[in-house]
Amino acid sequence: MQGAEYVSHDAVGLAELVARGEVTPAELEAAAREAARAVNPRINAVVETWPTDDRPAPGSAPLAGVPFLIKDIGVAMAGRRMELGSRLAEGNVAGADSFLMRRFRRAGLVTFGRTATPEMAYSNTTEPVLYGATRNPWDLARSAGGSSGGAGAAVAAGVVPIAHATDAAGSIRIPAACNGLFGLKPTRGRVSMGPGFDEVFNGLAVQGSVSRTVRDSAVLLDQIRGPEPGDPYYAPEPSRPYAEEVTRHPGALRIGVLTHAWGGHRTTAPVADALSRTVRLLESLGHQVEEAEVDLGVDWEEFLLASARQWTANLAASIDELAAAFGRPVDSSTLEPPILAGYHYGQRVSGAQFVTALEARNRVARSLARSFDAYDVLLTPTLPELPVPLGTHAEGAEALDGLGWLRRLFDISPFTVAFNVAGMPPPSVALSAHARLRDQLRWGATGQFFQGVRGGEPITLPTRDRGWAASSTSRLPRWLSMWRVPPPCPCR
């Protein structure tokens, strides 16, 4: 299969070709490997590839034969490295498949490598010391986002149509926004974290994917959803498969718009302008749209402090476990400055402070839930500004403590983390291209992207502009169930 044909199909489309005998899984894998060889030297998204041993029969599963990449954290594949983007875990090899990996195999996916993550997935840009910075395919001088930046860049560049991603504070949605993709953070408890973990960061983290079409994310979520014995959370099963849900019309929706984030964070003009155009579009489609006042439930500084205590206490425990397992020191030879600062901060968090942080989490979740008494959907920017230039995110990090680093993360992405705290399922969906970046690459751009949340698993609202869509948790009408982003970037 030629590269142009390979990148013209989404994952479902490729699986359909396999099922009809028009292409073999081996041919798709060869195309994916060739794409990786062509683009990865420039974007540094894929940190390792390996020979595959999965040979799904054509048509045996919804995604049988589709090439796939897993993130270097969050999912264990037997016999393969999972290094967490960290020198502390360098050389770590998984002894067995996690529950999620087993489901990826049952879905028919052919996993041939792993993608970059920042160290411990603890950043919203992917620039680890272990294997270097991942570059945005649309603008190589900018970040691909984080922490699933490798996944986002690989999908945007056409290496694979869909890739594994995780999200504890925006790590699916931020790379989707930076790279022009669809990225859904599932509801807490929708996908198992086991058996190695019951929860990660006290339920903040979830497993999911980034993709180039909505239907791909829906089909994969159908394959990986559902609890395993011993899971601490359980999300009720949907009334119908998500693959069917995306074909249903949403009807008229009440949409609340949050233009500026909590804590005085202001959305920059390009993003605010794109949001205004989206509001007008949604109104023209018959939806009721108005500016919303969304109460976070706690003061921003209290939210930041509670998050820092919760995050760093979890981080410190994980680092101690890794250091003991590998016999390595916890110092600057194994950890980057932000992670080391978080480790020391977390060591000082008391049990009482940790419990108080969890109580703040409860207030945030209850308050955000009340917003849906008035609205079916909340619409926000995913990020308040364009992706940051590479090399700027960690400037001066050596002088920050664990609280200071988290403040920096939240300043860059103030909209996303509250919905992790609440366990809600927002997606990020491409909306409009920024002219300056489009001119740089001529036929592709990093766009402005938006997230929306409701009680159920979200898909998207329709738009009329180039097939890009504003996000929501509504159902998608049948004629837009194949919503897709622009073609893979021309970074070759």
Side-chain angles (χ1 to χ4, degrees), residues 53 131 137 223 232 270 276 304 445:
D53 52 11
Y131 33 65
Q223 300 307 303
S276 296
L304 180 65

Side-chain angles (χ1 to χ4, degrees), residues 187-191 226-227 233-238 457:
T187 297
R188 181 180 296 147
R190 181 68 65 202
V191 181
Y233 303 109
Y234 171 74
E237 290 296 292
E457 226 70 41

Side-chain angles (χ1 to χ4, degrees), residues 249 251-252 278-288 461-464 479:
H249 197 282
T278 303
V279 168
R280 293 193 295 271
L281 173 63
L282 293 172
E283 290 173 336
S284 74
L285 294 171
H287 302 294
Q288 178 185 332
L461 285 171
T463 76
R464 297 172 183 159
W479 58 271

Side-chain angles (χ1 to χ4, degrees), residues 397-419:
E398 297 83 358
L400 298 176
D401 65 2
L403 177 62
W405 178 250
L406 209 67
R407 185 185 299 277
R408 180 172 294 188
L409 299 187
F410 285 17
D411 283 347
I412 289 177
S413 180
F415 289 102
T416 57
V417 67
F419 299 106

Side-chain angles (χ1 to χ4, degrees), residues 413-437:
S413 180
F415 289 102
T416 57
V417 67
F419 299 106
N420 290 80
V421 172
M424 293 176 176
S428 178
V429 189
L431 177 66
S432 66
H434 189 270
R436 186 179 68 210
L437 297 181

Side-chain angles (χ1 to χ4, degrees), residues 109 139 142 166 211 220 235 274 295 314 345 372 391 426 463 478 483:
L109 294 165
D139 183 345
R142 291 183 182 267
T166 66
S211 66
L220 182 57
D295 183 9
N314 278 276
Y345 191 95
F372 297 99
T463 76
R478 182 176 299 275
W483 175 92

Side-chain angles (χ1 to χ4, degrees), residues 90-165:
E90 189 173 4
N92 177 55
V93 175
D97 282 357
S98 61
F99 290 147
L100 179 60
M101 191 66 229
R102 295 177 195 172
R103 294 187 181 199
F104 285 153
R105 292 186 195 270
R106 287 201 297 266
L109 294 165
V110 178
T111 303
F112 70 98
R114 59 189 170 111
T115 59
T117 178
E119 186 168 48
M120 308 291 180
Y122 207 72
S123 179
N124 38 31
T125 183
T126 302
E127 305 177 48
V129 169
L130 181 62
Y131 33 65
T134 296
R135 298 181 178 275
N136 191 311
W138 303 109
D139 183 345
L140 297 175
R142 291 183 182 267
S143 169
S147 63
S148 305
V155 173
V159 177
V160 289
I162 188 169
H164 167 246

